Amino acid sequence: MAESSKKLIYIDVCALCRPFDDQSLLRIRLETEAVNLIILKVKEGLYRMAASTVHLKEIESIKDEVERFHLTTLLHKYGGSFDINLKSARKRAEELVSLGFGIADAAHVAFAEGLNADFISCDKKLINKCSKYIKTIWCGNPLSFCEMEDLK
């Protein structure tokens, strides 16, 4: 399969951090397994994973050094930079903020839209907003993505 024909996915920092969250809740453990499976499929070359300046800026603020190092390494090794119209992405992010999205969330979604990438997040409120306002790309949680893609 040609590299450019592989599905492009955009995993937000909330989802990328899931393996570092408290695993005492079943939902968190299931989402962790789903994120790990998606990342494995990226490593195996089934998907292309987008990395943006928004990821790197948000990850810089993570206090845990090990988590910050792991995520930065993951994005540098497996995340790709793709051509995007930054002016359009910024304008779209501003529109999303005016609709009630947080600044970082709006930037992530605007990047995903600009790349025409599936958007994956563990943030329920964000996914609910996406389902209301985002019609151009698929948005959902890691479990839904794995189910949709029939990942095993």
Side-chain angles (χ1 to χ4, degrees), residues 71-144:
L71 296 175
T72 303
T73 302
L74 178 72
L75 284 176
H76 284 301
K77 191 167 183 181
Y78 297 104
S81 294
F82 299 90
D83 288 333
I84 185 169
N85 183 323
L86 292 176
K87 190 174 181 180
S88 294
R90 182 184 180 100
K91 184 175 186 252
R92 179 60 173 152
E94 289 169 356
E95 290 170 6
L96 294 172
V97 167
S98 74
L99 293 171
F101 286 70
I103 294 169
D105 290 341
H108 283 302
V109 172
F111 263 87
E113 280 186 313
L115 295 169
N116 197 32
D118 285 0
F119 180 74
I120 302 167
S121 177
C122 291
D123 184 332
K124 281 177 153 180
K125 289 180 183 176
L126 174 57
I127 295 301
N128 288 339
K129 283 180 189 161
C130 287
S131 67
K132 185 174 180 181
Y133 296 110
I134 310 301
K135 304 300 178 198
T136 57
I137 59 171
W138 181 90
C139 300
N141 70 35
L143 290 166
S144 298

Side-chain angles (χ1 to χ4, degrees), residues 9 38-49 78:
I9 59 174
I38 295 165
I39 297 298
L40 174 65
K41 297 303 180 182
V42 168
K43 291 176 180 179
E44 291 175 349
L46 184 61
Y47 302 106
R48 296 176 300 147
M49 180 174 69
Y78 297 104

Side-chain angles (χ1 to χ4, degrees), residues 23 30-32 41 49 55 68 77 97 105 144 149:
Q23 300 293 309
L30 291 172
E31 288 176 346
T32 295
K41 297 303 180 182
M49 180 174 69
H55 281 112
R68 192 174 57 242
K77 191 167 183 181
V97 167
D105 290 341
S144 298
E149 293 289 309

